[in-house]
Amino acid sequence: MMKTTLHTDWTVADICEGFLFSKSEGKGLFGLNGQLVIQPEYQRNYIYDKGGRDVAVVKSLLKGYPLGLIYFVKTKTGYEVLDGQQRITSFARFVTDQYRFALPDDAGNPRYFKSLSDEEQEKILNTPLTIYVCEGSAKDIEEWFQTINIAGLPLTEQELLNAAYHGEFVNLARKVFANTNNPNMQKWQAYINGDPKRQQVLEAALDWVSNGHIREYMNEHRQDQNIDQLVNHFDSVIDWINNLFIEAHKEMRGLQWGRLYQEYHNTPYNKSKLNEKVAELMGDPRVHNKKGIFEYVLGGCTEPKLLEIRVFDETIKRAKYEEQTKLAKAAGHSNCPLCAISNNANATKIWDLKEMDADHVSAWSKGGPTNICNCEMLCRTHNQEKGNK
Ligand SMILES: [Zn+2]
């Protein structure tokens, strides 16, 4: 069961007691005299100073505006901030003069905490905060978080999971996969979509190792003191992609590499042929879904559906063929419109359906639709000529 206790007795001054800001990590670390971990590892980094939101927090306090609800989770040693770390870090930086920022006055002059009047200082320090302290199982906390409307940036799915399954495993995993200073990050982002700070690279790593069962995996490994399996599997997938494909196309980002690895990493490939095929399909304007090329070639080029190739289906071809042929016979010229305007013997030739191909009147590459209105049957020769232009 989830238990929440409302606290309205903690003031800004209480929270700022023992506040420590780490400039190197860009985040507030502790408050409440050491009882509060302001930014546990699963939280995203402090990103408030962009856009003057830190100034806005202090202004709100001075004007007596509410700061909104803040959520803590009860831990063995005290509390961790679940939501509100950015607001807390903002006012604590201002009040304790660490990594300070100024509050401009009406004339635009910078004002720091110490240059405020005693009355203004007291007003800020004595502001009571509205804080919910939550206690419950991982699942309870996660579910509950999903149902509340969190102020500011909503948490990503993985941030919610990190909060719910917080512990040493998540801490270690974040240090590798949410760390933008990691020298491998750029290489990884060639294949993974999303923001590492918002835990989306970690999400991919967990997705790959768990075959899509992230929650179960996190639950099972929550107490682990190492992340070896997670890292090893992730490296195997990345190495496999790197070894197989010569060029990193932007279409490779965000593919289901975990699943593709499971399905195909034991399949031998002729690397040069595989890459030739990729290059060919990349350059083929009929291939609508370029992202599908990689799974298509890995699967031995047997599932053209993956490519969403723009071709007319047989029903459209036959209908168009019959329409064109009927008109051509009545007019006494070829049923290929290009043969019909030629000066040779083909000008009056009626081609069989199997001797003709469908062509986009308005080119598909220029947005022409693949429907009967934009379909024209041409003899093989003319269709190929047109296709080469
Ligand atoms: Zn023709």
Side-chain angles (χ1 to χ4, degrees):
M1 272 298 286
M2 175 80 169
K3 196 177 128 199
T4 55
T5 318
L6 178 64
H7 286 254
T8 52
D9 47 334
W10 285 321
T11 62
V12 166
D14 293 328
I15 299 293
C16 290
E17 193 70 44
F19 174 75
L20 192 65
F21 186 82
S22 162
K23 212 173 163 183
S24 63
E25 293 175 73
K27 64 188 191 184
L29 300 176
F30 309 110
L32 259 183
N33 235 337
Q35 286 182 84
L36 179 67
V37 175
I38 292 177
Q39 194 185 47
E41 285 299 326
Y42 55 78
Q43 286 273 18
R44 53 183 175 270
N45 292 338
Y46 178 73
I47 47 176
Y48 238 37
D49 45 355
K50 285 174 196 154
R53 284 182 292 180
D54 40 13
V55 172
V57 167
V58 177
K59 270 190 187 163
S60 297
L61 290 171
L62 272 175
K63 291 186 174 171
Y65 299 160
L67 272 196
L69 294 175
I70 286 171
Y71 299 96
F72 292 174
V73 65
K74 184 113 184 60
T75 63
K76 276 181 211 148
T77 52
Y79 310 95
E80 288 180 351
V81 178
L82 271 184
D83 192 51
Q85 59 109 357
Q86 294 164 333
R87 283 166 284 168
I88 289 173
T89 305
S90 293
F91 67 62
R93 270 176 62 201
F94 187 77
V95 167
T96 66
D97 213 24
Q98 293 178 60
Y99 194 49
R100 67 182 190 170
F101 60 91
L103 199 63
D105 69 8
D106 293 339
N109 300 312
R111 295 200 307 164
Y112 297 97
F113 185 71
K114 285 182 180 122
S115 54
L116 300 180
S117 69
D118 288 353
E119 200 187 317
E120 285 172 318
Q121 291 188 4
E122 288 298 306
K123 185 164 189 186
I124 290 177
L125 291 173
N126 294 333
T127 301
L129 299 165
T130 310
I131 299 171
Y132 276 105
V133 173
C134 319
E135 292 173 75
S137 72
K139 193 137 186 55
D140 292 335
I141 293 176
E142 188 201 344
E143 274 175 17
W144 176 74
F145 247 75
Q146 275 167 341
T147 57
I148 62 166
N149 189 18
I150 297 163
L153 291 168
L155 298 178
T156 63
E157 229 167 277
Q158 190 57 45
E159 284 170 336
L160 286 169
L161 287 171
N162 287 2
Y165 296 94
H166 63 89
E168 188 59 9
F169 180 80
V170 165
N171 293 348
L172 293 170
R174 269 194 100 258
K175 281 190 182 123
V176 175
F177 296 106
N179 175 9
T180 48
N181 294 323
N182 184 325
N184 289 316
M185 193 55 82
Q186 207 178 350
K187 178 174 97 180
W188 297 346
Q189 286 185 289
Y191 310 123
I192 298 166
N193 259 333
D195 182 351
K197 278 192 191 160
R198 301 301 308 273
Q199 312 303 318
Q200 285 159 320
V201 174
L202 173 58
E203 185 173 38
L206 287 163
D207 178 59
W208 295 356
V209 76
S210 69
N211 276 319
H213 301 284
I214 296 179
R215 182 174 289 105
E216 292 79 358
Y217 189 88
M218 290 183 80
N219 189 39
E220 191 184 325
H221 293 272
R222 188 171 180 184
Q223 308 301 337
D224 289 7
Q225 298 298 305
N226 73 77
I227 55 165
D228 297 349
Q229 187 191 39
L230 178 68
V231 168
N232 290 340
H233 185 84
F234 184 82
D235 286 345
S236 304
V237 178
I238 294 284
D239 290 346
W240 176 71
I241 308 170
N242 260 333
N243 287 331
L244 215 45
F245 296 103
I246 295 168
E247 200 182 329
H249 296 275
K250 68 176 194 302
E251 288 81 1
M252 296 169 92
R253 284 191 78 188
L255 297 183
Q256 294 176 358
W257 288 115
R259 179 179 60 80
L260 295 175
Y261 174 81
Q262 295 290 356
E263 283 178 34
Y264 298 113
H265 78 280
N266 287 323
T267 307
Y269 293 99
N270 178 324
K271 187 172 165 178
S272 60
K273 278 200 176 147
L274 187 85
N275 284 280
E276 272 167 32
K277 193 72 193 163
V278 169
E280 177 198 322
L281 293 167
M282 275 290 171
D284 188 336
R286 293 172 308 155
V287 175
H288 180 55
N289 180 27
K290 302 281 190 213
K291 287 178 98 66
I293 289 173
F294 304 92
E295 181 164 4
Y296 177 74
V297 297
L298 289 169
C301 304
T302 54
E303 291 283 344
K305 254 188 210 161
L306 291 164
L307 304 177
E308 291 175 27
I309 288 176
R310 292 302 160 145
V311 290
F312 294 99
D313 68 37
E314 290 307 315
T315 326
I316 291 179
K317 283 194 210 170
R318 179 169 290 278
K320 199 70 200 177
Y321 173 81
E322 276 163 15
E323 180 192 315
Q324 272 177 227
T325 305
K326 198 176 160 194
L327 290 169
K329 279 179 178 167
H333 58 62
S334 173
N335 58 349
C336 167
L338 296 179
C339 288
I341 54 168
S342 72
N343 297 320
N344 59 41
N346 285 344
T348 55
K349 185 171 172 79
I350 298 295
W351 301 93
D352 280 346
L353 174 59
K354 64 177 187 297
E355 295 170 318
M356 301 184 89
D357 268 327
D359 179 57
H360 286 80
V361 179
S362 165
W364 177 80
S365 56
K366 291 180 180 123
T370 306
N371 59 29
I372 194 159
C373 302
N374 195 36
C375 176
E376 182 176 59
M377 297 300 287
L378 298 176
C379 73
R380 282 270 155 79
T381 314
H382 278 125
N383 188 60
Q384 273 167 18
E385 268 177 28
K386 214 184 153 191
N388 290 339
K389 275 177 194 164

